[in-house]
Amino acid sequence: MKTEGYHLVDSANTPFFWLADTAWNLWCRGTPGEWSAYIARRREQGFNAIQFVAGWWRGCHDPIHGRSYDVIDGEGVFNEPAMAKLDLLMAKIRDAGMVAAPVMLWTLTEDDPGRVYDEDQCVRIARTLFERFDAYDVVWLLGGDGDYTTPEARERWKRVGREVFSSSPEATATLHPCGATWVGDAFAREPWYDIVGIQSGHGAGEEDIRFLVGSDYATAWKRIRKPFINLEPNYEKAIAYGTERRYDAYHVRRASYWSLTVAPPAGITYGTNSVWMWAKAEGEVAEGHGGIWSGRPWHKDIDTPGADSMRILREFFEKLPWERLRPAPERLKYQPGDDDIYRWQ
């Protein structure tokens, strides 16, 4: 997988419309049999990429296969049986003709590895993961859910990215930022930063909508010639922050189509509670998320109206010369979103 202008292309240099599913805990909590069933179903539904955590994180501190990596007495250590299970998952994704998008270092809280470990330890961990698994078809998410907006964080992750990927310019990598933060301009000149990713996230307020349709993400494509992908829009069945309302398939479609029309379309990522959590029981609450995220057994929520909407979305765009489409808001005589952001077109 590599980039060509505003979109991705596969090994045959054919434009690749990214349609990823979010399964953060797939490796952490799933079994090989579950991986096979999940991957087969998502492939049938039209998904072609899977985002997941390749280590440990606040959503699963103790993966069922053991931590693939850790730091003990100041030294990075790797658990070979756990790494072998990660090999198996990567192979299953590849054999299904899909792209793996593993998060190397989750980075949101002080209890996540991207912040627990120092810079040198992060470099060694990420480089080891890269060197072992990049032979698969991979788009690397170097940091997950991180706040990369401060000068200190920007410079730290620039250095980490250079150390990890500088010897392999053909690698495809990006950052998965925390919600409603813009880092595209800060990282655009980094040689390893191939995809401009955002997380429009799970807020329902006006400021959240404006971040997606009226912020830098909607204009930066004019100065940054890279694929633009919303790596975490509204999740189906998530409770919108600050409300008691659950997002449904409508909100998934709204966030997805908006994401694909405010910048040159490269693709979109989908998510739903039970699957990203890899929930095992009815009413299960996600670890480390303050009780606001809950789900049911993952296999009961793999067939949802939102997932079906994503299949239709991909089919719709692939009937068009989508890789040549560009936003043209100036052609709209009147923008109803100027008066009511929820009516943005």
Side-chain angles (χ1 to χ4, degrees):
M1 190 60 51
K2 60 182 179 179
T3 64
E4 185 173 295
Y6 292 113
H7 60 277
L8 294 157
V9 295
D10 63 18
S11 58
N13 224 36
T14 302
F16 180 91
F17 185 89
W18 173 274
L19 183 59
D21 185 42
T22 306
W24 298 133
N25 270 337
L26 179 65
W27 178 79
C28 295
R29 302 192 69 195
T31 65
E34 290 176 325
W35 298 339
S36 295
Y38 162 78
I39 291 168
R41 183 62 186 135
R42 281 302 193 227
R43 183 184 180 188
E44 290 171 353
Q45 293 168 319
F47 291 91
N48 55 21
I50 301 172
Q51 297 177 188
F52 64 96
V53 176
W56 59 271
W57 66 302
R58 69 182 181 120
C60 186
H61 285 84
D62 297 300
I64 65 172
H65 310 292
R67 291 187 175 185
S68 55
Y69 58 74
D70 210 339
V71 172
I72 299 175
D73 296 329
E75 295 295 323
V77 296
F78 296 88
N79 179 340
E80 180 53 35
M83 293 283 276
K85 282 292 197 304
L86 190 51
D87 256 318
L88 178 60
L89 174 58
M90 299 285 277
K92 285 178 179 288
I93 294 171
R94 176 204 60 200
D95 293 347
M98 301 175 80
V99 174
V103 175
M104 298 167 124
L105 296 153
W106 202 268
T107 308
L108 180 63
T109 73
E110 294 182 0
D111 199 28
D112 285 315
R115 294 175 65 180
V116 168
Y117 303 148
D118 66 29
E119 188 173 317
D120 289 341
Q121 291 164 346
C122 286
V123 167
R124 182 171 180 227
I125 288 166
R127 182 185 290 153
T128 299
L129 291 172
F130 170 69
E131 290 174 349
R132 176 154 179 164
F133 300 113
D134 197 55
Y136 297 101
D137 201 3
V138 181
V139 169
W140 293 102
L141 306 183
L142 173 61
D145 213 12
D147 181 355
Y148 315 110
T149 60
T150 67
E152 296 78 13
R154 287 199 301 268
E155 294 309 309
R156 170 187 167 98
W157 288 98
K158 285 179 182 179
R159 291 191 298 269
V160 172
R162 291 168 194 163
E163 288 292 324
V164 173
F165 299 112
S166 61
S167 63
S168 300
E170 72 280 1
T172 303
T174 188
L175 291 166
H176 171 266
C178 63
T181 58
W182 170 251
V183 296
D185 286 297
F187 287 88
R189 295 186 180 180
E190 289 299 302
W192 58 268
Y193 183 80
D194 300 298
I195 297 169
V196 179
I198 63 161
Q199 176 189 162
S200 65
H202 315 292
E206 283 194 24
E207 68 280 4
D208 300 290
I209 304 299
R210 291 189 188 282
F211 170 77
L212 177 56
V213 302
S215 72
D216 284 311
Y217 185 76
T219 58
W221 65 272
K222 296 178 181 179
R223 58 183 180 272
I224 304 174
R225 190 174 173 79
K226 297 176 184 286
F228 281 61
I229 301 178
N230 190 346
L231 298 168
E232 189 172 332
N234 301 156
Y235 282 170
E236 191 171 13
K237 302 192 177 183
I239 296 176
Y241 291 155
T243 75
E244 295 182 356
R245 186 179 73 248
R246 286 194 182 273
Y247 287 125
D248 58 23
Y250 162 76
H251 299 98
V252 170
R253 290 191 296 270
R254 182 181 70 177
S256 298
Y257 281 94
W258 278 352
S259 300
L260 291 163
T261 53
V262 297
I268 190 68
T269 297
Y270 165 81
T272 189
N273 279 14
S274 301
V275 173
W276 80 251
M277 293 168 53
W278 211 254
K280 303 282 190 175
E282 200 71 37
E284 183 174 335
V285 175
E287 177 185 336
H289 283 72
I292 64 171
W293 295 85
S294 63
R296 56 205 297 253
W298 68 269
H299 58 87
K300 292 186 177 181
D301 264 351
I302 198 167
D303 292 292
T304 60
D308 196 48
S309 294
M310 295 299 97
R311 174 187 59 78
I312 295 169
L313 176 149
R314 181 181 168 189
E315 290 175 355
F316 171 76
F317 272 90
E318 289 186 337
K319 289 179 184 295
L320 304 170
W322 60 269
E323 70 275 17
R324 300 202 299 271
L325 297 179
R326 302 290 180 265
E330 69 280 0
R331 297 189 180 184
L332 192 62
K333 183 176 181 180
Y334 166 67
Q335 172 54 266
D338 291 341
D339 299 322
D340 179 357
I341 195 62
Y342 296 97
R343 296 177 59 219
W344 188 89
Q345 297 179 7

